[in-house]
């Protein structure tokens, strides 16, 4: 996954903040209007969105003569992929993971424990996550949409 430049990140922030997962997306004009404080030409925003589409960061769909854009993945999924890519840069993934784990706060460590417990099927009495560890973690990471996806997966 490629890192984003400042303007690309600002545009993605607009998409992540404005476009819910069920939305049809936003137009170039709507993105440009949401980039308050930046004096950007319409064509500049259009070019950035086109490049983001080429990188697979956004999906677009034709609506009349215009395009509607929405993020291809959530902000959290993008950040997680950046973290995984960073792990591949070093010599030892284990050493990098240990260093990272030692640098997190107590609350962040609890989130990680709940995620690992949930992933290993260790939720329930005696686990760090309690009876709802997986659901609580999903809510923290993905919000209600992630919770719905987790619930749907559990029902299958």
């Amino acid at each position: 996954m490629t890192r984003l430049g400042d303007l690309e990140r600002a545009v993605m922030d607009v998409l992540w903040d404005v476009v819910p997962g069920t939305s049809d997306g936003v137009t170039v004009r709507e993105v440009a209007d949401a980039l308050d404080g930046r004096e950007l030409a319409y064509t500049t925003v259009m070019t950035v969105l086109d490049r983001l589409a080429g990188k697979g960061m956004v999906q677009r769909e034709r609506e009349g003569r215009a395009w509607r854009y929405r993020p291809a993945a959530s902000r959290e999924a993008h950040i997680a992929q950046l973290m995984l890519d960073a792990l591949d840069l070093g010599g030892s993934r284990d050493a990098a993971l240990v260093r990272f784990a030692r640098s997190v706060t107590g609350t962040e460590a609890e989130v990680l424990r709940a995620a690992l417990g949930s992933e290993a099927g260790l939720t329930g009495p005696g686990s760090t996550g309690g009876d709802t560890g997986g659901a609580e973690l999903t809510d923290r990471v993905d919000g209600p949409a992630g919770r719905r996806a987790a619930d749907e997966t559990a029902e299958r």
Side-chain angles (χ1 to χ4, degrees):
M1 176 169 288
T2 59
R3 294 186 63 183
L4 301 175
D6 290 338
L7 187 52
E8 289 174 324
R9 190 176 26 230
V11 168
M12 287 305 302
D13 283 340
V14 167
L15 294 176
W16 282 321
D17 293 340
V18 173
V19 181
T22 57
S23 170
D24 291 336
V26 293
T27 64
V28 174
R29 174 63 56 209
E30 291 167 326
V31 172
D33 290 345
L35 289 168
D36 287 337
R38 293 186 181 242
E39 298 296 323
L40 298 173
Y42 175 91
T43 54
T44 300
V45 177
M46 183 172 58
T47 298
V48 171
L49 283 163
D50 185 57
R51 288 184 181 167
L52 288 168
K55 291 178 179 183
M57 292 291 301
V58 300
Q59 297 172 340
R60 63 183 174 186
E61 193 171 308
R62 214 23 127 171
E63 183 179 273
R65 293 178 48 204
W67 290 99
R68 294 195 77 75
Y69 295 87
R70 66 180 179 275
S74 70
R75 177 180 289 151
E76 293 78 12
H78 174 69
I79 292 169
Q81 187 60 53
L82 288 174
M83 292 169 71
L84 290 169
D85 291 348
L87 283 175
D88 290 337
L89 294 175
S92 170
R93 287 179 74 126
D94 291 348
L97 281 170
V98 168
R99 179 130 184 152
F100 175 76
R102 289 182 177 155
S103 70
V104 299
T105 66
T107 303
E108 293 165 340
E110 288 299 319
V111 170
L112 287 172
R113 280 189 199 98
L116 293 171
S118 174
E119 192 67 26
L122 298 176
T123 58
S127 72
T128 304
D131 290 336
T132 60
E136 289 172 4
L137 174 69
T138 303
D139 284 345
R140 283 189 204 158
V141 174
D142 293 326
R147 175 83 186 260
R148 280 193 303 276
D151 291 345
E152 290 170 6
T153 302
E155 290 176 5
R156 289 184 199 157

